[in-house]
Amino acid sequence: MDEPRWKLIERLVAILEKAITPSARVKHNVSLPVLGRPNRKPRQCDIVITCGDAPRETITIVEVQKRNKKPNITTFHGWIKKMQEVGAQHLICVSAQGYPKSIIDDVAMVHGPTVRLMTLQELERGIIPGMILSAPLIHRIPEFSFVSVSGIALENSSISNTLIQRNIELNTSDYVFSLDEEQARLSLDDLVAETLPIFVTNYFDVEKTIEPDEYEVELELGSVERTLWFHIDDQRYRIKRLVVLVKVKSYFEEIPLNVLSYKQEFYEGELAWLATAKGKVSGRDIEAHIIFQQDKEGFLVITSVQVVGAERLILTGFDCKEDFDAAMAMYRK
């Protein structure tokens, strides 16, 4: 015997509550007013998902058809009309039998990511593509400590020997270095902080290797492009080689999302879906713009991420909420 419609709706609400961001509110059998038409009867919606607070509230309506046939284009256009009349930003269609080509083409060519076509099986497996970015975003904060520091090899070896004989002690916080003809004095801490991001970009990013949460790396400070100087007794001496071994450990800080908005716009000549997230980390404003575009199969893929206020922002995707929760537990250790 087929499951009663009211029971199906309640089951879908429970699934959605587990699958989307905890700040979202999920209700079923909701009547929403028709915008600008106070004389019109409110529209009944199977499920309504609300994210954020007014005036930046995002509304998604979910329309469910549990029949032994696919919804037709007329029914689909009725759902679209309802979404527009109640001022919702998104429509999720749920069908037990899938969708005809006419509806699939209409979504791909006209509505784009505003509308998601889903089956009961997909919802039951927790697959909700492209609807909501789960809060929070994770900000990666790398910290380093010194394992060892090589002796400073100056270009003039006789001066190097003189300094060795004097047994000069050097702390990593001493401002005894400079670069090129710059007047600013730098410490070993400063030099490593400047060199480490370059190493990460040249090694992990270029090689497309995942940066471990903890590792040791040998860094040669200064470079062929920049001249590194050592200052002592009001004199400066050009450094030939200075190598340090540092231990890098990353900490992860959650970015609470104050704003999570979606809008469609053209990006490099193609229609794109823009997600914007804003929050604060250690008192600093963080902002991320994530560009989604459809591939040839109609799936949303991330084509660009623009971050303001943070050097390293981790953007991760998960197939199910269990994987997301497990990752969050690891980050929070």
Side-chain angles (χ1 to χ4, degrees):
M1 183 175 179
D2 284 346
E3 183 179 21
R5 180 177 173 81
W6 66 267
K7 192 171 184 64
L8 168 65
I9 298 296
E10 286 190 348
R11 183 160 59 89
L12 294 182
V13 168
I15 293 172
L16 288 166
E17 285 178 337
K18 292 181 179 180
I20 63 178
T21 178
S23 61
R25 301 173 294 281
V26 183
K27 296 182 179 180
H28 67 89
N29 193 24
V30 178
S31 293
L32 296 178
V34 177
L35 297 183
R37 301 288 297 276
N39 58 318
R40 285 278 303 276
K41 182 179 179 181
R43 300 299 306 269
Q44 187 275 335
C45 304
D46 290 336
I47 300 172
V48 174
I49 304 170
T50 307
C51 295
D53 300 312
R56 294 190 176 95
E57 198 173 53
T58 300
I59 298 175
T60 300
I61 65 171
V62 182
E63 292 297 314
V64 181
Q65 175 166 317
K66 185 174 183 290
R67 297 176 181 172
N68 292 324
K69 61 180 180 180
K70 300 175 182 179
N72 57 43
I73 192 69
T74 302
T75 298
F76 173 71
H77 284 161
W79 292 341
I80 293 291
K81 182 69 172 177
K82 183 187 297 186
M83 176 186 70
Q84 296 167 344
E85 287 185 341
V86 302
Q89 288 79 24
H90 308 283
L91 165 66
I92 299 177
C93 308
V94 181
S95 168
Q97 302 297 325
Y99 303 89
K101 187 175 184 300
S102 59
I103 293 180
I104 295 174
D105 290 344
D106 201 28
V107 170
M109 293 184 291
V110 179
H111 304 290
T114 303
V115 178
R116 307 306 302 174
L117 302 178
M118 304 193 66
T119 64
L120 290 176
Q121 292 78 14
E122 287 174 330
L123 269 179
E124 289 168 346
R125 294 199 304 271
I127 303 172
I128 308 180
M131 186 183 73
I132 293 175
L133 287 178
S134 294
L137 295 180
I138 303 298
H139 182 225
R140 183 173 192 146
I141 307 170
E143 295 185 358
F144 62 85
S145 58
F146 289 90
V147 178
S148 63
V149 180
S150 72
I152 300 175
L154 302 181
E155 282 197 333
N156 188 320
S157 58
S158 62
I159 295 177
S160 291
N161 293 332
T162 300
L163 294 177
I164 292 173
Q165 291 171 3
R166 289 175 58 182
N167 194 26
I168 296 174
E169 292 186 2
L170 177 64
N171 295 318
T172 62
S173 58
D174 291 340
Y175 293 95
V176 293
F177 301 94
S178 67
L179 289 169
D180 300 329
E181 299 305 315
E182 297 175 1
Q183 297 298 315
R185 296 290 182 89
L186 304 172
S187 65
L188 273 178
D189 292 326
D190 296 329
L191 292 173
V192 172
E194 181 177 294
T195 305
L196 188 59
I198 299 173
F199 167 82
V200 169
T201 299
N202 290 341
Y203 185 79
F204 295 112
D205 293 356
V206 171
E207 297 295 326
K208 299 188 182 304
T209 303
I210 297 175
E211 182 182 359
D213 294 343
E214 188 172 342
Y215 59 95
E216 291 186 358
V217 59
E218 189 177 79
L219 301 174
E220 183 167 352
L221 304 181
S223 65
V224 293
E225 292 83 12
R226 307 201 69 180
T227 302
L228 180 61
W229 300 94
F230 177 65
H231 295 257
I232 188 170
D233 297 335
D234 297 324
Q235 297 290 325
R236 70 173 187 175
Y237 305 95
R238 186 166 180 170
I239 294 176
K240 180 179 180 181
R241 180 177 170 82
L242 174 55
V243 177
V244 299
L245 180 65
V246 296
K247 182 177 182 179
V248 183
K249 185 174 182 179
S250 292
Y251 297 88
F252 300 90
E253 193 169 12
E254 297 180 2
I255 301 177
L257 301 184
N258 297 334
V259 178
L260 184 56
S261 62
Y262 294 86
K263 62 180 180 179
Q264 283 183 304
E265 62 179 36
F266 279 92
Y267 176 75
E268 296 184 350
E270 298 291 336
L271 189 63
W273 198 237
L274 172 66
T276 300
K278 297 181 181 179
K280 283 185 179 294
V281 171
S282 302
R284 303 188 313 275
D285 289 325
I286 300 291
E287 184 171 332
H289 303 280
I290 307 165
I291 307 294
F292 298 87
Q293 289 177 298
Q294 286 185 318
D295 62 13
K296 294 180 179 180
E297 285 72 38
F299 293 100
L300 288 179
V301 295
I302 296 174
T303 56
S304 176
V305 179
Q306 303 160 0
V307 180
V308 179
E311 293 182 358
R312 308 293 306 280
L313 193 68
I314 294 180
L315 183 67
T316 53
F318 302 92
D319 291 332
C320 63
K321 190 173 185 300
E322 286 73 17
D323 290 345
F324 173 77
D325 290 339
M328 292 302 97
M330 179 185 68
Y331 288 140
R332 291 164 180 154
K333 285 183 179 179

